[in-house]
Amino acid sequence: MLDIDLERAAKFFESLASATAAHPGVTRDSYGTGEQKAHDLLAAEAQTLGLEVTNDNAGNLYMTLPGRDRDLPRVVLGSHLDSVPHGGNFDGAAGVIAGIIVLEAFRRWGVAPRRDICVMAIRAEESTWFPLSYIGSRAALGNLAPEELKSLRTDNARSLAWHMAKAGYDPDSVARGEAFLHPGQVACFLELHIEQGPQLLARDLPLGLVTGIRGSLRYRNACCIGEYAHSGAVPRNSRKDAVFGAASLVMGLDSLWQELESDGHDLTITLGQLQTDSKEHAFSKIPGLVRFCVDFRSLSEETLNLLDQRLHALCDSISQSRSVRFELGPRSGSTPALMDEEILNKLGSSAQKLGIPVYNMASGAGHDASVFANAGVPSGMVFVRNAHGSHNPDEGMDIEDFGLGCRLLAALLSQDNFPD
């Protein structure tokens, strides 16, 4: 079994954190300075290993160890390099660095793979910067719609197309659907990622094998509209209180979550960014406006649609009872994805041979692997135990756990029993 150079990996994580530091944590903004610094670091490292380095029209980075038979479908492994503002250093980046570390081990031990193995550093996975999911992976497969390139970045109101062009890439080709990766030419897609919840930590297990990735249904710019009035002069039955309306929605959705979960549905419900307008609301005023966002997740498309129906019915009921109205705004989201059963079994078998305890689990967070899976590419994911959750500066992945994940990927790749 190939040994994994954890010292090299640890130094790489340190370099990445230093280059993209934004106290607290790191900021690697999609199609911005932080993400580009991360891509530049990875490209330089790949070149020192003698890997082939190239970009596609959307700026995704490919670092390839050539195989003995280059006509065979390639293996692609990797993840994204962007982060949320002031996020942690491991979300996404761990998957890209894992690929580089595995290929470094192959190089060091003179392993010549039968087919090309390509590490992919994917652009713009986080939907924080643009109101879109999986920009880079969908662009690589030719599935980013032209109108999506008009989407504006949340911090500067410039379009995705503008950002792509400024970074030196070709949004016009992306708009035409010109794919760099074709599903028939990809044997499989593998993604290592930190777990973003507490399940592995609670079970004291280093790795998880992902069975499926929940899809999402989102209303990013919803609001409850009431009427501003004097807080002391208007009795309860005459009020149009937007805060009470939004609070009723929160409690109603919590009851709905409990009901559907008891009926066997897989789901999560999150309401966030609850805020009144500080320019209009004041201490002695009944609030007339509350803005919020809604995020539903499920492995079932049917459950997501049911949630949408129940959300609208709940809004209608609260509107009647509290004399407010809801405007949910545009709906967005992503499709649930199942990981390939054969790859899941191979990962499990390899883990057993290596003596690595694993836990099969669904992913509540979205990942680029779902895009490949839904495009027909056999896909698999490995979760690495991680303390303190993610999307915060305190991500706590242990480098030894990361090494076990790399060993598992190396074992699977060295077998090379993927379909030709």
Side-chain angles (χ1 to χ4, degrees):
M1 174 43 84
L2 304 177
D3 66 307
I4 299 299
D5 190 345
L6 289 185
E7 184 178 351
R8 183 176 192 141
K11 288 180 179 178
F12 210 120
F13 281 118
E14 290 170 7
S15 297
L16 190 59
S18 176
T20 60
H23 185 76
V26 302
T27 296
R28 301 194 273 262
D29 47 328
S30 301
Y31 289 102
T33 302
E35 185 187 56
Q36 189 60 53
K37 286 180 178 179
H39 276 250
D40 291 344
L41 275 174
L42 264 296
E45 181 73 5
Q47 288 169 343
T48 66
L49 295 176
L51 304 179
E52 296 179 356
V53 178
T54 191
N55 293 96
D56 64 20
N57 290 325
N60 295 304
L61 174 65
Y62 303 88
M63 299 157 284
T64 303
L65 177 63
R68 300 191 303 275
D69 186 347
R70 307 208 66 181
D71 292 328
L72 290 176
R74 75 183 81 176
V75 169
V76 178
L77 65 156
S79 192
H80 62 98
L81 287 178
D82 61 327
S83 77
V84 299
H86 304 288
N89 194 39
F90 303 119
D91 182 348
V96 187
I97 293 176
I100 292 293
I101 291 299
V102 169
L103 294 194
E104 185 276 334
F106 277 31
R107 278 289 203 202
R108 184 159 32 87
W109 285 90
V111 175
R114 192 162 70 94
R115 68 184 75 235
D116 286 6
I117 301 177
C118 175
V119 179
M120 182 180 180
I122 303 172
R123 291 276 181 174
E125 188 263 2
E126 300 288 1
S127 58
T128 300
W129 302 99
F130 296 93
L132 303 169
S133 297
Y134 315 130
I135 291 171
S137 50
R138 289 197 291 131
L141 292 163
N143 294 331
L144 199 65
E147 60 270 18
E148 291 181 295
L149 288 158
K150 300 175 184 177
S151 298
L152 304 181
R153 215 174 90 160
T154 54
D155 60 341
N156 62 19
R158 291 189 181 275
S159 72
L160 174 57
W162 184 91
H163 280 278
M164 275 189 191
K166 186 175 185 296
Y169 303 111
D170 188 356
D172 292 335
S173 296
V174 174
R176 291 193 295 269
E178 296 180 11
F180 185 87
L181 296 175
H182 300 275
Q185 298 171 356
V186 180
C188 68
F189 178 81
L190 303 171
E191 183 171 6
L192 179 144
H193 203 283
I194 58 169
E195 191 205 352
Q196 294 169 279
Q199 295 191 61
L200 293 176
L201 201 66
R203 290 172 171 81
D204 194 25
L205 294 173
L207 301 181
L209 305 182
V210 177
T211 56
I213 299 171
R214 289 186 177 120
S216 65
L217 188 159
R218 293 164 170 165
Y219 291 99
R220 297 172 180 268
N221 299 297
C223 63
C224 178
I225 302 170
E227 185 176 279
Y228 290 102
H230 193 288
S231 63
V234 182
R236 182 180 185 277
N237 290 338
S238 299
R239 291 185 176 220
K240 300 177 181 179
D241 191 317
V243 164
F244 273 92
S248 296
L249 181 64
V250 171
M251 297 308 296
L253 286 175
D254 187 43
S255 296
L256 175 61
W257 187 355
Q258 186 175 21
E259 172 196 333
L260 293 181
E261 199 166 59
S262 297
D263 290 340
H265 290 265
D266 170 84
L267 74 156
T268 62
I269 295 176
T270 305
L271 271 77
Q273 297 179 317
L274 280 149
Q275 54 194 323
T276 59
D277 188 341
S278 61
K279 294 180 180 178
E280 291 193 63
H281 193 206
F283 174 75
S284 60
K285 291 176 72 172
I286 297 168
L289 176 69
V290 172
R291 299 189 185 279
F292 62 94
C293 61
V294 181
D295 184 350
F296 297 145
R297 309 268 180 136
S298 178
L299 287 170
S300 165
E301 193 77 34
E302 290 76 16
T303 298
L304 290 175
N305 289 331
L306 176 61
L307 282 167
D308 198 32
Q309 294 170 14
R310 296 289 292 271
L311 169 65
H312 282 82
L314 188 57
C315 287
D316 290 343
S317 175
I318 296 168
S319 295
Q320 290 293 320
S321 64
R322 293 207 173 268
S323 300
V324 296
R325 62 188 173 90
F326 289 89
E327 293 182 359
L328 296 178
R331 169 180 167 169
S332 62
S334 58
T335 305
L338 293 177
M339 297 296 95
D340 184 78
E341 188 172 352
E342 187 174 349
I343 291 177
L344 183 65
N345 291 337
K346 288 175 181 176
L347 286 168
S349 177
S350 295
Q352 187 174 24
K353 291 176 183 176
L354 292 170
I356 302 174
V358 295
Y359 173 63
N360 286 15
M361 59 187 294
S363 171
H367 300 285
D368 289 299
S370 66
V371 175
F372 286 90
N374 285 328
V377 176
S379 300
M381 280 199 76
V382 176
F383 273 171
V384 180
R385 174 171 49 190
N386 166 58
H388 313 304
S390 74
H391 287 195
N392 68 65
D394 299 320
E395 291 172 358
M397 184 191 75
D398 189 283
I399 197 68
E400 297 295 331
D401 291 342
F402 172 78
L404 293 177
C406 291
R407 286 173 64 86
L408 183 55
L409 289 176
L412 182 68
L413 293 173
S414 63
Q415 296 170 27
D416 194 14
N417 52 2
F418 305 108
D420 294 340

